[in-house]
mmCIF file of all heavy atoms in Angstrom:
data_model
loop_
_atom_site.group_PDB
_atom_site.id
_atom_site.type_symbol
_atom_site.label_atom_id
_atom_site.label_comp_id
_atom_site.label_asym_id
_atom_site.label_seq_id
_atom_site.Cartn_x
_atom_site.Cartn_y
_atom_site.Cartn_z
ATOM 1 N N CYS A 69 7.655 -14.831 3.945
ATOM 2 C CA CYS A 69 8.466 -14.240 5.021
ATOM 3 C C CYS A 69 7.844 -14.518 6.381
ATOM 4 O O CYS A 69 8.541 -14.865 7.340
ATOM 5 C CB CYS A 69 8.623 -12.737 4.806
ATOM 6 S SG CYS A 69 9.577 -12.286 3.349
ATOM 7 N N HIS A 70 6.533 -14.387 6.485
ATOM 8 C CA HIS A 70 5.848 -14.669 7.741
ATOM 9 C C HIS A 70 5.875 -16.154 8.068
ATOM 10 O O HIS A 70 6.046 -16.533 9.225
ATOM 11 C CB HIS A 70 4.399 -14.167 7.676
ATOM 12 C CG HIS A 70 4.251 -12.711 7.920
ATOM 13 N ND1 HIS A 70 4.627 -11.759 6.989
ATOM 14 C CD2 HIS A 70 3.773 -12.021 8.996
ATOM 15 C CE1 HIS A 70 4.390 -10.558 7.474
ATOM 16 N NE2 HIS A 70 3.873 -10.679 8.683
ATOM 17 N N GLU A 71 5.691 -16.986 7.041
ATOM 18 C CA GLU A 71 5.716 -18.429 7.296
ATOM 19 C C GLU A 71 7.059 -18.853 7.883
ATOM 20 O O GLU A 71 7.120 -19.755 8.731
ATOM 21 C CB GLU A 71 5.440 -19.204 6.005
ATOM 22 C CG GLU A 71 5.472 -20.709 6.214
ATOM 23 C CD GLU A 71 4.619 -21.454 5.211
ATOM 24 O OE1 GLU A 71 3.425 -21.144 5.072
ATOM 25 O OE2 GLU A 71 5.168 -22.369 4.593
ATOM 26 N N LEU A 72 8.141 -18.200 7.454
ATOM 27 C CA LEU A 72 9.473 -18.528 7.945
ATOM 28 C C LEU A 72 9.850 -17.732 9.198
ATOM 29 O O LEU A 72 10.949 -17.912 9.731
ATOM 30 C CB LEU A 72 10.511 -18.264 6.840
ATOM 31 C CG LEU A 72 10.361 -19.103 5.565
ATOM 32 C CD1 LEU A 72 11.380 -18.664 4.519
ATOM 33 C CD2 LEU A 72 10.518 -20.592 5.865
ATOM 34 N N GLY A 73 8.963 -16.853 9.665
ATOM 35 C CA GLY A 73 9.247 -16.039 10.838
ATOM 36 C C GLY A 73 10.279 -14.959 10.594
ATOM 37 O O GLY A 73 10.963 -14.519 11.531
ATOM 38 N N LEU A 74 10.387 -14.483 9.359
ATOM 39 C CA LEU A 74 11.415 -13.508 8.983
ATOM 40 C C LEU A 74 10.864 -12.115 8.713
ATOM 41 O O LEU A 74 11.580 -11.248 8.229
ATOM 42 C CB LEU A 74 12.156 -14.001 7.730
ATOM 43 C CG LEU A 74 12.935 -15.307 7.863
ATOM 44 C CD1 LEU A 74 13.434 -15.767 6.494
ATOM 45 C CD2 LEU A 74 14.105 -15.145 8.826
ATOM 46 N N GLN A 75 9.582 -11.894 9.046
ATOM 47 C CA GLN A 75 8.964 -10.619 8.670
ATOM 48 C C GLN A 75 9.674 -9.414 9.266
ATOM 49 O O GLN A 75 9.721 -8.344 8.647
ATOM 50 C CB GLN A 75 7.477 -10.602 9.069
ATOM 51 C CG GLN A 75 7.195 -10.726 10.551
ATOM 52 C CD GLN A 75 7.041 -12.158 11.013
ATOM 53 O OE1 GLN A 75 7.541 -13.085 10.368
ATOM 54 N NE2 GLN A 75 6.337 -12.350 12.121
ATOM 55 N N ASN A 76 10.265 -9.562 10.444
ATOM 56 C CA ASN A 76 10.947 -8.424 11.068
ATOM 57 C C ASN A 76 12.327 -8.166 10.473
ATOM 58 O O ASN A 76 12.961 -7.154 10.779
ATOM 59 C CB ASN A 76 11.065 -8.650 12.575
ATOM 60 C CG ASN A 76 9.717 -8.648 13.255
ATOM 61 O OD1 ASN A 76 8.782 -7.978 12.812
ATOM 62 N ND2 ASN A 76 9.587 -9.406 14.333
ATOM 63 N N ASP A 77 12.806 -9.094 9.637
ATOM 64 C CA ASP A 77 14.095 -8.912 8.975
ATOM 65 C C ASP A 77 13.956 -8.239 7.618
ATOM 66 O O ASP A 77 14.942 -7.904 6.988
ATOM 67 C CB ASP A 77 14.788 -10.272 8.785
ATOM 68 C CG ASP A 77 15.174 -10.912 10.107
ATOM 69 O OD1 ASP A 77 16.045 -10.353 10.786
ATOM 70 O OD2 ASP A 77 14.603 -11.962 10.445
ATOM 71 N N VAL A 78 12.725 -8.060 7.169
ATOM 72 C CA VAL A 78 12.479 -7.473 5.848
ATOM 73 C C VAL A 78 12.147 -5.994 6.020
ATOM 74 O O VAL A 78 11.214 -5.640 6.736
ATOM 75 C CB VAL A 78 11.329 -8.198 5.134
ATOM 76 C CG1 VAL A 78 11.030 -7.546 3.790
ATOM 77 C CG2 VAL A 78 11.674 -9.674 4.942
ATOM 78 N N ASP A 79 12.903 -5.125 5.367
ATOM 79 C CA ASP A 79 12.691 -3.681 5.486
ATOM 80 C C ASP A 79 11.557 -3.199 4.592
ATOM 81 O O ASP A 79 10.798 -2.305 4.966
ATOM 82 C CB ASP A 79 13.980 -2.932 5.120
ATOM 83 C CG ASP A 79 15.136 -3.322 6.015
ATOM 84 O OD1 ASP A 79 15.132 -2.915 7.185
ATOM 85 O OD2 ASP A 79 16.029 -4.051 5.543
ATOM 86 N N ILE A 80 11.459 -3.787 3.402
ATOM 87 C CA ILE A 80 10.437 -3.383 2.436
ATOM 88 C C ILE A 80 9.728 -4.640 1.969
ATOM 89 O O ILE A 80 10.327 -5.494 1.301
ATOM 90 C CB ILE A 80 11.032 -2.630 1.229
ATOM 91 C CG1 ILE A 80 11.903 -1.457 1.696
ATOM 92 C CG2 ILE A 80 9.917 -2.142 0.302
ATOM 93 C CD1 ILE A 80 13.391 -1.746 1.671
ATOM 94 N N HIS A 81 8.474 -4.753 2.338
ATOM 95 C CA HIS A 81 7.691 -5.947 2.024
ATOM 96 C C HIS A 81 6.680 -5.566 0.947
ATOM 97 O O HIS A 81 5.805 -4.735 1.173
ATOM 98 C CB HIS A 81 6.977 -6.416 3.291
ATOM 99 C CG HIS A 81 6.330 -7.749 3.167
ATOM 100 N ND1 HIS A 81 6.776 -8.852 3.840
ATOM 101 C CD2 HIS A 81 5.272 -8.168 2.440
ATOM 102 C CE1 HIS A 81 6.018 -9.890 3.546
ATOM 103 N NE2 HIS A 81 5.095 -9.493 2.692
ATOM 104 N N MET A 82 6.804 -6.175 -0.233
ATOM 105 C CA MET A 82 5.926 -5.840 -1.357
ATOM 106 C C MET A 82 5.051 -7.032 -1.722
ATOM 107 O O MET A 82 5.474 -8.185 -1.613
ATOM 108 C CB MET A 82 6.772 -5.418 -2.569
ATOM 109 C CG MET A 82 5.961 -5.083 -3.815
ATOM 110 S SD MET A 82 5.719 -6.538 -4.858
ATOM 111 C CE MET A 82 4.918 -5.789 -6.268
ATOM 112 N N GLY A 83 3.826 -6.763 -2.139
ATOM 113 C CA GLY A 83 2.945 -7.820 -2.615
ATOM 114 C C GLY A 83 1.925 -7.254 -3.578
ATOM 115 O O GLY A 83 1.795 -6.031 -3.727
ATOM 116 N N THR A 84 1.201 -8.137 -4.244
ATOM 117 C CA THR A 84 0.208 -7.691 -5.221
ATOM 118 C C THR A 84 -1.174 -8.241 -4.878
ATOM 119 O O THR A 84 -1.307 -9.238 -4.177
ATOM 120 C CB THR A 84 0.580 -8.149 -6.644
ATOM 121 O OG1 THR A 84 0.637 -9.582 -6.679
ATOM 122 C CG2 THR A 84 1.920 -7.580 -7.074
ATOM 123 N N PHE A 85 -2.192 -7.579 -5.418
ATOM 124 C CA PHE A 85 -3.582 -8.017 -5.260
ATOM 125 C C PHE A 85 -4.127 -8.643 -6.548
ATOM 126 O O PHE A 85 -5.306 -8.961 -6.628
ATOM 127 C CB PHE A 85 -4.468 -6.828 -4.883
ATOM 128 C CG PHE A 85 -4.060 -6.147 -3.612
ATOM 129 C CD1 PHE A 85 -3.675 -4.815 -3.614
ATOM 130 C CD2 PHE A 85 -4.044 -6.836 -2.406
ATOM 131 C CE1 PHE A 85 -3.305 -4.177 -2.437
ATOM 132 C CE2 PHE A 85 -3.676 -6.212 -1.229
ATOM 133 C CZ PHE A 85 -3.301 -4.873 -1.240
ATOM 134 N N SER A 86 -3.273 -8.817 -7.541
ATOM 135 C CA SER A 86 -3.725 -9.286 -8.852
ATOM 136 C C SER A 86 -3.566 -10.784 -9.042
ATOM 137 O O SER A 86 -3.944 -11.312 -10.090
ATOM 138 C CB SER A 86 -2.940 -8.552 -9.952
ATOM 139 O OG SER A 86 -1.539 -8.711 -9.734
ATOM 140 N N LYS A 87 -3.042 -11.473 -8.028
ATOM 141 C CA LYS A 87 -2.818 -12.912 -8.164
ATOM 142 C C LYS A 87 -3.706 -13.660 -7.168
ATOM 143 O O LYS A 87 -4.868 -13.915 -7.451
ATOM 144 C CB LYS A 87 -1.333 -13.200 -8.016
ATOM 145 C CG LYS A 87 -0.520 -12.490 -9.109
ATOM 146 C CD LYS A 87 0.941 -12.599 -8.933
ATOM 147 C CE LYS A 87 1.672 -11.888 -10.078
ATOM 148 N NZ LYS A 87 1.449 -10.420 -10.115
ATOM 149 N N SER A 88 -3.196 -14.003 -6.004
ATOM 150 C CA SER A 88 -4.010 -14.755 -5.047
ATOM 151 C C SER A 88 -5.276 -14.013 -4.645
ATOM 152 O O SER A 88 -6.296 -14.635 -4.328
ATOM 153 C CB SER A 88 -3.190 -15.057 -3.793
ATOM 154 O OG SER A 88 -2.147 -15.952 -4.088
ATOM 155 N N PHE A 89 -5.234 -12.690 -4.652
ATOM 156 C CA PHE A 89 -6.390 -11.899 -4.223
ATOM 157 C C PHE A 89 -7.448 -11.776 -5.316
ATOM 158 O O PHE A 89 -8.578 -11.373 -5.038
ATOM 159 C CB PHE A 89 -5.940 -10.513 -3.773
ATOM 160 C CG PHE A 89 -5.175 -10.521 -2.480
ATOM 161 C CD1 PHE A 89 -3.830 -10.848 -2.453
ATOM 162 C CD2 PHE A 89 -5.802 -10.222 -1.279
ATOM 163 C CE1 PHE A 89 -3.117 -10.880 -1.264
ATOM 164 C CE2 PHE A 89 -5.104 -10.237 -0.083
ATOM 165 C CZ PHE A 89 -3.754 -10.579 -0.074
ATOM 166 N N GLY A 90 -7.079 -12.057 -6.548
ATOM 167 C CA GLY A 90 -8.048 -12.065 -7.627
ATOM 168 C C GLY A 90 -8.563 -10.708 -8.051
ATOM 169 O O GLY A 90 -9.590 -10.616 -8.742
ATOM 170 N N VAL A 91 -7.877 -9.623 -7.662
ATOM 171 C CA VAL A 91 -8.377 -8.277 -8.000
ATOM 172 C C VAL A 91 -7.293 -7.529 -8.783
ATOM 173 O O VAL A 91 -6.898 -7.979 -9.857
ATOM 174 C CB VAL A 91 -8.822 -7.504 -6.725
ATOM 175 C CG1 VAL A 91 -9.641 -6.269 -7.107
ATOM 176 C CG2 VAL A 91 -9.663 -8.389 -5.813
ATOM 177 N N TYR A 92 -6.771 -6.430 -8.257
ATOM 178 C CA TYR A 92 -5.774 -5.629 -8.953
ATOM 179 C C TYR A 92 -5.138 -4.680 -7.952
ATOM 180 O O TYR A 92 -5.795 -4.248 -7.002
ATOM 181 C CB TYR A 92 -6.415 -4.829 -10.094
ATOM 182 C CG TYR A 92 -5.422 -4.139 -10.998
ATOM 183 C CD1 TYR A 92 -4.602 -4.871 -11.844
ATOM 184 C CD2 TYR A 92 -5.291 -2.755 -11.001
ATOM 185 C CE1 TYR A 92 -3.684 -4.251 -12.672
ATOM 186 C CE2 TYR A 92 -4.389 -2.114 -11.827
ATOM 187 C CZ TYR A 92 -3.581 -2.869 -12.668
ATOM 188 O OH TYR A 92 -2.668 -2.247 -13.486
ATOM 189 N N GLY A 93 -3.858 -4.343 -8.181
ATOM 190 C CA GLY A 93 -3.176 -3.403 -7.298
ATOM 191 C C GLY A 93 -1.992 -4.050 -6.608
ATOM 192 O O GLY A 93 -1.664 -5.221 -6.832
ATOM 193 N N ALA A 94 -1.338 -3.268 -5.732
ATOM 194 C CA ALA A 94 -0.160 -3.759 -5.010
ATOM 195 C C ALA A 94 -0.019 -2.994 -3.704
ATOM 196 O O ALA A 94 -0.655 -1.963 -3.496
ATOM 197 C CB ALA A 94 1.097 -3.583 -5.865
ATOM 198 N N TYR A 95 0.821 -3.526 -2.821
ATOM 199 C CA TYR A 95 1.034 -2.877 -1.531
ATOM 200 C C TYR A 95 2.513 -2.925 -1.141
ATOM 201 O O TYR A 95 3.265 -3.797 -1.574
ATOM 202 C CB TYR A 95 0.195 -3.550 -0.429
ATOM 203 C CG TYR A 95 0.556 -5.008 -0.179
ATOM 204 C CD1 TYR A 95 1.556 -5.361 0.726
ATOM 205 C CD2 TYR A 95 -0.113 -6.026 -0.845
ATOM 206 C CE1 TYR A 95 1.881 -6.690 0.949
ATOM 207 C CE2 TYR A 95 0.194 -7.358 -0.630
ATOM 208 C CZ TYR A 95 1.197 -7.694 0.272
ATOM 209 O OH TYR A 95 1.525 -9.015 0.477
ATOM 210 N N ILE A 96 2.884 -1.957 -0.325
ATOM 211 C CA ILE A 96 4.186 -1.938 0.346
ATOM 212 C C ILE A 96 3.919 -1.839 1.833
ATOM 213 O O ILE A 96 3.122 -1.000 2.277
ATOM 214 C CB ILE A 96 5.045 -0.735 -0.107
ATOM 215 C CG1 ILE A 96 5.360 -0.829 -1.603
ATOM 216 C CG2 ILE A 96 6.336 -0.658 0.706
ATOM 217 C CD1 ILE A 96 6.274 -1.967 -2.004
ATOM 218 N N CYS A 97 4.569 -2.694 2.605
ATOM 219 C CA CYS A 97 4.471 -2.646 4.064
ATOM 220 C C CYS A 97 5.850 -2.458 4.666
ATOM 221 O O CYS A 97 6.840 -2.983 4.148
ATOM 222 C CB CYS A 97 3.834 -3.924 4.610
ATOM 223 S SG CYS A 97 2.082 -4.101 4.223
ATOM 224 N N GLY A 98 5.909 -1.719 5.774
ATOM 225 C CA GLY A 98 7.189 -1.488 6.439
ATOM 226 C C GLY A 98 7.031 -0.505 7.575
ATOM 227 O O GLY A 98 5.980 -0.420 8.217
ATOM 228 N N SER A 99 8.065 0.268 7.815
ATOM 229 C CA SER A 99 8.050 1.235 8.911
ATOM 230 C C SER A 99 7.270 2.487 8.507
ATOM 231 O O SER A 99 7.054 2.762 7.320
ATOM 232 C CB SER A 99 9.481 1.636 9.278
ATOM 233 O OG SER A 99 10.075 2.379 8.228
ATOM 234 N N ARG A 100 6.868 3.274 9.517
ATOM 235 C CA ARG A 100 6.189 4.541 9.229
ATOM 236 C C ARG A 100 7.103 5.473 8.445
ATOM 237 O O ARG A 100 6.662 6.190 7.542
ATOM 238 C CB ARG A 100 5.763 5.213 10.536
ATOM 239 C CG ARG A 100 4.669 4.468 11.295
ATOM 240 C CD ARG A 100 4.194 5.247 12.508
ATOM 241 N NE ARG A 100 3.251 4.461 13.298
ATOM 242 C CZ ARG A 100 3.609 3.648 14.277
ATOM 243 N NH1 ARG A 100 4.896 3.536 14.607
ATOM 244 N NH2 ARG A 100 2.701 2.958 14.940
ATOM 245 N N THR A 101 8.385 5.453 8.786
ATOM 246 C CA THR A 101 9.352 6.309 8.086
ATOM 247 C C THR A 101 9.440 5.926 6.619
ATOM 248 O O THR A 101 9.475 6.796 5.735
ATOM 249 C CB THR A 101 10.738 6.192 8.744
ATOM 250 O OG1 THR A 101 10.646 6.607 10.110
ATOM 251 C CG2 THR A 101 11.756 7.061 8.021
ATOM 252 N N LEU A 102 9.480 4.631 6.318
ATOM 253 C CA LEU A 102 9.524 4.175 4.931
ATOM 254 C C LEU A 102 8.304 4.678 4.161
ATOM 255 O O LEU A 102 8.448 5.228 3.056
ATOM 256 C CB LEU A 102 9.570 2.643 4.878
ATOM 257 C CG LEU A 102 9.354 2.029 3.486
ATOM 258 C CD1 LEU A 102 10.539 2.326 2.586
ATOM 259 C CD2 LEU A 102 9.097 0.527 3.577
ATOM 260 N N ILE A 103 7.130 4.508 4.731
ATOM 261 C CA ILE A 103 5.921 4.908 4.021
ATOM 262 C C ILE A 103 5.860 6.419 3.832
ATOM 263 O O ILE A 103 5.469 6.910 2.759
ATOM 264 C CB ILE A 103 4.662 4.384 4.755
ATOM 265 C CG1 ILE A 103 4.709 2.852 4.850
ATOM 266 C CG2 ILE A 103 3.397 4.855 4.059
ATOM 267 C CD1 ILE A 103 4.910 2.118 3.528
ATOM 268 N N ARG A 104 6.258 7.184 4.841
ATOM 269 C CA ARG A 104 6.325 8.644 4.689
ATOM 270 C C ARG A 104 7.253 9.019 3.540
ATOM 271 O O ARG A 104 6.957 9.918 2.743
ATOM 272 C CB ARG A 104 6.827 9.300 5.971
ATOM 273 C CG ARG A 104 5.808 9.365 7.101
ATOM 274 C CD ARG A 104 6.448 9.956 8.347
ATOM 275 N NE ARG A 104 6.986 11.288 8.124
ATOM 276 C CZ ARG A 104 7.932 11.852 8.886
ATOM 277 N NH1 ARG A 104 8.455 11.192 9.911
ATOM 278 N NH2 ARG A 104 8.345 13.075 8.617
ATOM 279 N N TRP A 105 8.397 8.337 3.458
ATOM 280 C CA TRP A 105 9.376 8.604 2.406
ATOM 281 C C TRP A 105 8.780 8.315 1.025
ATOM 282 O O TRP A 105 8.907 9.118 0.093
ATOM 283 C CB TRP A 105 10.627 7.764 2.633
ATOM 284 C CG TRP A 105 11.714 7.976 1.625
ATOM 285 C CD1 TRP A 105 12.000 7.193 0.543
ATOM 286 C CD2 TRP A 105 12.659 9.056 1.599
ATOM 287 N NE1 TRP A 105 13.059 7.700 -0.167
ATOM 288 C CE2 TRP A 105 13.490 8.849 0.465
ATOM 289 C CE3 TRP A 105 12.890 10.156 2.413
ATOM 290 C CZ2 TRP A 105 14.524 9.716 0.134
ATOM 291 C CZ3 TRP A 105 13.928 11.021 2.084
ATOM 292 C CH2 TRP A 105 14.726 10.798 0.960
ATOM 293 N N LEU A 106 8.111 7.171 0.898
ATOM 294 C CA LEU A 106 7.542 6.796 -0.395
ATOM 295 C C LEU A 106 6.428 7.739 -0.819
ATOM 296 O O LEU A 106 6.283 8.042 -2.012
ATOM 297 C CB LEU A 106 7.026 5.349 -0.337
ATOM 298 C CG LEU A 106 8.088 4.270 -0.119
ATOM 299 C CD1 LEU A 106 7.438 2.902 -0.028
ATOM 300 C CD2 LEU A 106 9.145 4.296 -1.219
ATOM 301 N N VAL A 107 5.626 8.201 0.123
ATOM 302 C CA VAL A 107 4.566 9.157 -0.203
ATOM 303 C C VAL A 107 5.162 10.414 -0.835
ATOM 304 O O VAL A 107 4.543 11.049 -1.696
ATOM 305 C CB VAL A 107 3.753 9.507 1.058
ATOM 306 C CG1 VAL A 107 2.879 10.734 0.840
ATOM 307 C CG2 VAL A 107 2.895 8.307 1.480
ATOM 308 N N ASN A 108 6.382 10.746 -0.450
ATOM 309 C CA ASN A 108 7.032 11.955 -0.961
ATOM 310 C C ASN A 108 7.975 11.717 -2.129
ATOM 311 O O ASN A 108 8.296 12.662 -2.859
ATOM 312 C CB ASN A 108 7.821 12.626 0.169
ATOM 313 C CG ASN A 108 6.932 13.325 1.159
ATOM 314 O OD1 ASN A 108 6.513 14.456 0.936
ATOM 315 N ND2 ASN A 108 6.614 12.646 2.257
ATOM 316 N N LYS A 109 8.418 10.465 -2.327
ATOM 317 C CA LYS A 109 9.475 10.215 -3.307
ATOM 318 C C LYS A 109 9.132 9.210 -4.405
ATOM 319 O O LYS A 109 9.829 9.170 -5.422
ATOM 320 C CB LYS A 109 10.732 9.721 -2.574
ATOM 321 C CG LYS A 109 11.374 10.747 -1.646
ATOM 322 C CD LYS A 109 11.991 11.893 -2.423
ATOM 323 C CE LYS A 109 12.730 12.859 -1.517
ATOM 324 N NZ LYS A 109 13.398 13.945 -2.277
ATOM 325 N N ALA A 110 8.116 8.373 -4.232
ATOM 326 C CA ALA A 110 7.809 7.333 -5.225
ATOM 327 C C ALA A 110 7.019 7.935 -6.383
ATOM 328 O O ALA A 110 5.815 8.177 -6.286
ATOM 329 C CB ALA A 110 7.042 6.183 -4.575
ATOM 330 N N ARG A 111 7.681 8.186 -7.481
ATOM 331 C CA ARG A 111 7.068 8.904 -8.602
ATOM 332 C C ARG A 111 5.846 8.185 -9.201
ATOM 333 O O ARG A 111 4.859 8.850 -9.548
ATOM 334 C CB ARG A 111 8.135 9.163 -9.675
ATOM 335 C CG ARG A 111 9.199 10.157 -9.209
ATOM 336 C CD ARG A 111 10.380 10.209 -10.180
ATOM 337 N NE ARG A 111 10.020 10.780 -11.463
ATOM 338 C CZ ARG A 111 10.029 12.082 -11.749
ATOM 339 N NH1 ARG A 111 10.367 12.959 -10.820
ATOM 340 N NH2 ARG A 111 9.707 12.506 -12.945
ATOM 341 N N PRO A 112 5.850 6.861 -9.347
ATOM 342 C CA PRO A 112 4.642 6.207 -9.884
ATOM 343 C C PRO A 112 3.411 6.409 -9.005
ATOM 344 O O PRO A 112 2.292 6.398 -9.510
ATOM 345 C CB PRO A 112 5.044 4.730 -9.948
ATOM 346 C CG PRO A 112 6.532 4.751 -10.075
ATOM 347 C CD PRO A 112 6.969 5.895 -9.217
ATOM 348 N N LEU A 113 3.613 6.583 -7.697
ATOM 349 C CA LEU A 113 2.496 6.884 -6.804
ATOM 350 C C LEU A 113 2.052 8.329 -6.968
ATOM 351 O O LEU A 113 0.859 8.625 -7.095
ATOM 352 C CB LEU A 113 2.891 6.627 -5.358
ATOM 353 C CG LEU A 113 1.828 7.002 -4.315
ATOM 354 C CD1 LEU A 113 0.794 5.886 -4.206
ATOM 355 C CD2 LEU A 113 2.457 7.282 -2.959
#
């Protein structure tokens, strides 16, 4: 998304740390409102 200059068009940006990063885990990036919502609503978290 960043390589194509589209990062601002993506509302929910997800990635993992278990592949290119060689470790384990995952991340979600986005707006503060999105993250606040997920902290309260994402059951696996």
Side-chain angles (χ1 to χ4, degrees):
C69 294
H70 280 73
E71 179 153 306
L72 298 176
L74 297 172
Q75 62 270 23
N76 294 330
D77 294 293
V78 177
D79 301 287
I80 307 100
H81 190 112
M82 178 269 186
T84 60
F85 301 119
S86 54
K87 299 173 179 65
S88 293
F89 290 81
V91 194
Y92 189 69
Y95 63 88
I96 297 293
C97 290
S99 68
R100 292 186 186 89
T101 300
L102 169 69
I103 301 306
R104 285 176 58 201
W105 181 261
L106 295 178
V107 166
N108 286 277
K109 294 291 185 177
R111 292 170 68 87
L113 176 81

